[in-house]
Each structure stands twice: as C-alpha cells, then as structure tokens.
Amino acid sequence: EVQLVESGGGLVQAGGSLTLSCTVSGFTSGFTFDDYAIGWFRQAPGKEREGIACIGNSDGSKYYADSVKYRHTIRSDKSKNTVYLHLDRLNPEDTAVYYCAANKRFYFLIQAMGVMGRPSLDSWGQGTQVVVSS
C-alpha cells in the first residue's frame, strides 16, 4: 500500500490556525492518488483516535465530524499528491496527534470516521502533534 507523511503540526494559541499536510507516495500496481480517499484523524491525550474529516480524491466528496465542520477545511492538491487540513479557530480541546490515512474505498473511510479507536484502513501516517495553548 501507499505511504503517508504528515507535517504542519506545532504549538499555537487558542483562536489561531494551522494547516496540516498529508503527502502520499509509493503507489504500486497502477494505482494513483486519484484511487484513494484520504482521512484525517486525531488522538487527544488519554483519548481514543477519532475521525474528523475525509475527502474522496476521485470526485472531491468531503465529510466533516460535527465537532470540526465549521472550523476545519479539507482539500486535495492532486498535482502534489497531498491532502491539506486547515485548522481554524483552534481551542485547547483540539490538542492531539493528528494522523492521516488512505483507503481505496471512500465508503469505508466515511464509515471509519464514526469509529473510536484506530480503524482498519489501507495505510496510516505516523502523525503530527498539534498543541493549542489557552
């Protein structure tokens, strides 16, 4: 399966913004970036991993969890094999390690958004830390 690398995390004050990146590589067997849906998940200290947003690269379909739908924006740049998650109006509750994941079936990625913990998806990145101070 493909490899994913997240970047863009850091320390930010409440009310600030960050943009996270998920770059996908290692396509095999004729697959391309367009064949994958990409999701963003987060795991706060002492909490289980939860899905927050995803995008289907084939048609641009998007999903946001209720907790972030008015504050976060997901977008895909196919020329760079990269999916971005813009985090706006951050608050301390957004402090977490943010992971991206890839899956060929957008249907299953959407389902994974509602699963607490680490769902079974094709590929996972190693995560990038976001810390929001008061």
Side-chain angles (χ1 to χ4, degrees):
E1 297 289 351
V2 295
Q3 293 78 54
L4 298 87
V5 178
E6 304 97 333
S7 63
L11 175 64
V12 63
Q13 291 185 325
S17 302
L18 286 173
T19 298
L20 309 181
S21 300
C22 175
T23 299
V24 186
S25 63
F27 303 103
T28 60
S29 302
F31 294 107
T32 70
F33 187 65
D34 286 346
D35 294 307
Y36 290 87
I38 306 296
W40 281 98
F41 300 75
R42 69 183 183 186
Q43 188 165 8
K47 304 294 184 180
E48 292 186 288
R49 195 172 300 186
E50 62 174 335
I52 53 176
C54 64
I55 185 169
N57 286 328
S58 61
D59 61 2
S61 298
K62 298 176 181 179
Y63 167 87
Y64 297 96
D66 289 341
S67 61
V68 304
K69 63 170 55 178
Y70 301 114
R71 300 187 296 114
H72 295 7
T73 303
I74 189 169
R75 65 180 179 89
S76 180
D77 186 340
K78 296 182 179 181
S79 68
K80 298 180 179 179
N81 292 338
T82 298
V83 170
Y84 302 93
L85 181 68
H86 181 67
L87 314 177
D88 198 17
R89 301 190 299 279
L90 288 162
N91 57 63
E93 288 69 41
D94 295 315
T95 294
V97 177
Y98 285 71
Y99 301 87
C100 64
N103 204 76
K104 294 188 184 71
R105 296 286 300 277
F106 185 51
Y107 171 82
F108 291 114
L109 185 57
I110 292 175
Q111 288 189 320
M113 293 288 108
V115 177
M116 297 299 297
R118 187 181 185 276
S120 179
L121 300 171
D122 291 344
S123 300
W124 286 90
Q126 295 301 305
T128 184
Q129 175 71 247
V130 172
V131 177
V132 184
S133 63
S134 300

